[in-house]
Amino acid sequence: MTEHNWRLSGALRRVERPVRYAGGEWNSRRKDWNAAQVHLALAYPDAYEIGMSNLGLQILYSIVNDLPWALADRTYAPWGDMEREMVAAGIPLFGVESRRSAADFDVLGFSLPYELNYTNVLLMLDLAGLPLHGRERDGRHPLVIAGGSAAHNPAPMSGFFDAMVIGEAEEAIVEVLDAVRGSGWRVGGSTGEREALLRGLGRIEGVYVPTIDGAGARTVRRRIVEPLPPIVTRPVVPFAEAVHDRAAIEIQRGCTRGCRFCQAGFIYRPLRERPQEEIRHGAAALLASTGYDELGLLSLSSSDYPGIDGLIRDLSCSHPTVRLSLPSLRIDSFSVGIAEAIQRRKGNLTFAPEAGTQRLRDAINKGVSEDDLLNTANDLFSSGFSGMKLYFMVGLPGEREEDVEGIVRLAREVKAVARRAGGGRARVTAAVSTFVPKAHTPFQWAAMETRDSVLGKQRTLKDGLRGINMSWHDVRESWLEAVFSRGDALLGPVVERAYRDGARFDAWSDQLREESWLAAFEAEGVEPGAYAHREREPQERLPWDHIDVGVTKEYLWREYVRSRDGEITGDCRSGACAGCGLMETGSCVARVSAGAGVGL
Amino acid sequence: MRIRFEYARVEPGQFVGHLDLMRALERAIRRAGLPVAFSVGFNPQMKVAIAAPLPVGVVGRRELMDVQFAEDVEVEAVVKGLAAQMPAGLEMLGGVAVDEFAPSLQATLRECEYEVVLRADAELVQGAIEGFLGREAVVVERKGKRGRVTKDIRELVRGLDVVVGEGEVVLRMVLAAGPTGGAKVGEVLGVLGLGDEIVRVERTRLVFGE
């Protein structure tokens, strides 16, 4: 046994859940290192079990490993106990399959799903022995790139990455790796060649290179992949229980509903549906290659998928021992058909009314009616389901006291319906999150409510919802998210300081060290309230204006004004085109193929 | 029909916890498309029973697992089919049909044998062993259902000796196991004062009785 393996083995013996670092999972590719021309380490800045539930990473892993000339390995943020062991024993961050040091890869590609992962990015770079800042890295070091939802506002983390992929990365990742292959540079090579390579990356559509593009010298257009990439039929199956221990198929990407708080609904447009035949074949192959007994049909709004009840029925018939899960059901497109097609009735179905009154639901463009909700509850419980989970949000723009009281009233009415239709066993649970204004949404100009106000509302709900199991999101985390989601480059030094002060795994409530963050803001002379609680001016230049997601800023502003007037904007899938901007650029494939004209 | 499978858990799978291992075995059975039997009731479970959980970090050389099938199957074909679905670190060694009404592995387990490869001074280890065997009682603390409890494991350690190879010191143990209670390999190593010296821990054999 080599000295390195001996030290690693000793560390694994002492830490919690060592399987997080052990590799060897079913369907992991473990390709021959020397046979590959380019080596990529896909880095997920959170614990292994969180990273293994991320479908995006599985997609990129699969695509890159299918290339004969490339190799993709995986690495995750080591938990605190493992971090201490690694530092003490001199073990650098490593890929779980190859066991090679992250610094030996040509490209280190970070997924950025959530702003509260930022300190973990620095943790991983530090453990890899790499300089944290892009400007400090040279030919010896891997290219450090990033992509994912949070990268749509690249400003706060732009100092730490060499390049950032905006949008859907399935094609861009291959183009980036191909550029590396074609260049004269590999890790450990010449700085001049690495710089030339970086300049070349900036010419790939969707790639933002901070050291060259600066803070918005050039507009970067988001990558849109059409048609959807093939279903991953051989995903890596973790040993450890991932947050979602199931097979997953993306049945559609994008959304046409236009709920005004929802960033995903805007940054993943246009809507692209996966053909049913493809889903059926993919499901069979996926279940056979993994042995999972649960299959998730993923999208932003699953019950909107045309023929969803027929699809569920077919899948239930073909795979009778497999549980089907449908996150993201819409209250107004749920039907008895869907309820009956999901054969195994154990567990919850989840719906998101979000706001407690029609007025506020209309303002956020989630136009579902109370009748819709109560009918859905009735259908659900009469069909034999035992649980319904409701998502609500507090702190929405324009929210009044009666809206919060409305949540209590609504939840109680659903509970009454549940009792009547489902009997004593019927359970209603509520999860209350806090509104965070996100970039690239109509609410990107809105202010986040103060923490005290939010806490007061959570208390009101807790008192009013006795008898209904209620969970709520930690307001400290919502607040931090609000600072970073509309942050600029001045926040980079804040992340670094908080990290050096011990901040890690901020998305885990029991790990969040608020003192470190507050001290970091103060030391860097940054006022967090100016990011979270300040309403933006209509003409103000926003730090993400140089990122073109396809939906225009004018459209978002129009929607913001409409929300104040309580005007609903309809579903453009079935109704008129609302003119969000994708049609003009030819990116709205659904409408372009149907030959529909531009509306509004 | 009931089949008793013999399997090994080796690098890199030795850090998989017991529940995760059970899940991995169930998924392998599903991938192999085997007609395994399920328990009845609200939450049907696959009828898979093992002899004793393998502690995290311990390699298992000859582990046993009983699987109940819903119909008659051909043993060789089933062993081959399952072997093809084993993830890295799990090796299918063989299978044999057993009497459906025979008592369970868990109920008939009596002893477990372990080998611990150490990077340590052989004399020191020998000294620690003699010290252990010379004691009348060896009391350890365990987590019980209501806080910590103490247990005297001296009588549960049925064999303890050391073998010296080239550059390697191998500690061998025979520990009582099963429904009447047993000693844990980690506990014995703790009492002997061995931790950082461990290169590898292996469970080499399971011993059954009436």
Side-chain angles (χ1 to χ4, degrees), chain B residues 1-2 15 17-19 25 28 30 41 51 53 63 79 83 85 90 102 110 117 139 171 175 178 183 186-187 200:
Chain B
M1 186 172 174
R2 186 159 133 190
F15 293 108
H18 173 63
L19 288 176
L25 286 170
R30 245 179 253 120
E63 298 295 305
V79 170
Q85 300 300 331
L90 277 182
R110 294 289 172 265
V117 178
V139 179
L171 181 65
L175 304 180
E187 287 173 337
R200 196 165 63 249

Side-chain angles (χ1 to χ4, degrees), chain A residues 259-279:
Chain A
C259 302
R260 291 168 179 141
F261 57 85
C262 176
Q263 188 190 56
F266 288 98
I267 64 175
Y268 292 112
R269 291 189 172 203
L271 180 75
R272 286 147 287 165
E273 292 160 12
R274 196 182 290 281
Q276 283 211 22
E277 252 328 276
E278 209 183 296
I279 297 174

Side-chain angles (χ1 to χ4, degrees), chain A residues 176-227:
Chain A
V176 167
L177 295 178
D178 203 30
V180 175
R181 172 165 79 139
S183 80
W185 177 84
R186 292 293 187 278
V187 71
S190 114
T191 297
E193 304 229 41
R194 189 177 184 276
E195 273 165 18
L197 169 60
L198 258 181
R199 278 196 298 276
L201 290 186
R203 288 193 284 274
I204 298 175
E205 192 190 331
V207 178
Y208 165 61
V209 181
T211 47
I212 295 172
D213 295 322
R218 173 177 80 90
T219 298
V220 178
R221 285 194 66 193
R222 173 196 147 222
R223 285 301 285 259
I224 298 172
V225 171
E226 209 281 319

Side-chain angles (χ1 to χ4, degrees), chain A residues 78-303:
Chain A
W79 196 250
D81 54 1
M82 185 61 172
E83 178 193 341
R84 285 187 288 280
E85 293 279 344
M86 288 169 75
V87 170
I91 300 170
L93 185 75
F94 56 89
V96 298
E97 296 174 23
S98 64
R99 296 274 173 97
R100 298 226 180 196
S101 167
D104 288 345
F105 287 76
D106 301 302
V107 182
L108 191 50
F110 279 88
S111 174
L112 294 180
Y114 182 33
E115 292 82 355
L116 269 64
N117 296 139
Y118 286 169
T119 49
N120 285 347
V121 172
L122 301 190
L123 167 69
M124 292 172 78
L125 286 173
D126 220 6
L127 283 175
L130 297 171
L132 301 185
H133 303 105
R135 61 171 191 271
E136 293 169 331
R137 291 191 285 262
D138 59 43
R140 295 169 289 168
H141 307 121
L143 268 185
V144 181
I145 67 176
S149 305
H152 290 79
N153 175 17
M157 293 297 279
S158 53
F160 306 109
F161 292 111
D162 299 317
M164 298 175 80
V165 177
I166 313 297
E168 301 165 18
E170 290 96 341
E171 287 164 358
I173 188 76
V174 177
E175 290 161 22
V176 167
L177 295 178
D178 203 30
V180 175
R181 172 165 79 139
S183 80
W185 177 84
R186 292 293 187 278
V187 71
S190 114
T191 297
E193 304 229 41
R194 189 177 184 276
E195 273 165 18
L197 169 60
L198 258 181
R199 278 196 298 276
L201 290 186
R203 288 193 284 274
I204 298 175
E205 192 190 331
V207 178
Y208 165 61
V209 181
T211 47
I212 295 172
D213 295 322
R218 173 177 80 90
T219 298
V220 178
R221 285 194 66 193
R222 173 196 147 222
R223 285 301 285 259
I224 298 172
V225 171
E226 209 281 319
L228 291 178
I231 294 172
V232 179
T233 51
R234 310 195 60 96
V236 179
V237 179
F239 280 116
E241 192 176 341
V243 173
H244 294 298
D245 208 14
R246 64 182 178 201
I249 292 180
E250 192 182 7
I251 61 175
Q252 55 185 21
R253 193 178 284 189
C255 190
T256 51
R257 294 289 193 149
C259 302
R260 291 168 179 141
F261 57 85
C262 176
Q263 188 190 56
F266 288 98
I267 64 175
Y268 292 112
R269 291 189 172 203
L271 180 75
R272 286 147 287 165
E273 292 160 12
R274 196 182 290 281
Q276 283 211 22
E277 252 328 276
E278 209 183 296
I279 297 174
R280 276 190 276 266
H281 279 137
L286 177 51
L287 292 168
S289 81
T290 58
Y292 278 125
D293 63 355
E294 185 177 332
L295 172 64
L297 302 179
L298 308 185
S299 78
L300 293 172
S301 176
S302 299
S303 39

Side-chain angles (χ1 to χ4, degrees), chain B residues 16-34:
Chain B
V16 177
H18 173 63
L19 288 176
D20 291 337
L21 177 66
M22 294 307 294
R23 252 193 299 271
L25 286 170
E26 285 174 13
R27 282 193 290 257
I29 289 171
R30 245 179 253 120
R31 286 193 298 268
L34 302 179

Side-chain angles (χ1 to χ4, degrees), chain A residues 548-568:
Chain A
D548 175 11
V549 300
V551 176
T552 63
K553 196 175 177 183
E554 291 70 42
Y555 178 74
L556 294 177
W557 178 260
R558 262 199 333 261
E559 279 295 299
Y560 188 42
V561 171
R562 285 169 72 83
S563 92
R564 296 211 280 241
D565 298 336
E567 305 248 26
I568 298 177

Side-chain angles (χ1 to χ4, degrees), chain A residues 386-440:
Chain A
S386 54
M388 185 179 195
K389 186 167 180 180
L390 300 172
Y391 281 150
F392 289 106
M393 218 186 299
V394 289
L396 288 162
E399 185 175 81
R400 303 171 197 154
E401 215 174 289
E402 59 252 30
D403 299 306
V404 181
E405 285 160 13
I407 293 178
V408 174
R409 204 181 44 80
L410 209 53
R412 286 221 187 110
E413 293 208 20
V414 171
K415 182 89 194 265
V417 168
R419 276 279 145 82
R420 254 178 281 132
R425 258 180 45 239
R427 272 177 354 256
V428 177
T429 52
V432 184
S433 63
T434 303
F435 168 67
V436 170
K438 307 288 289 187
H440 302 293

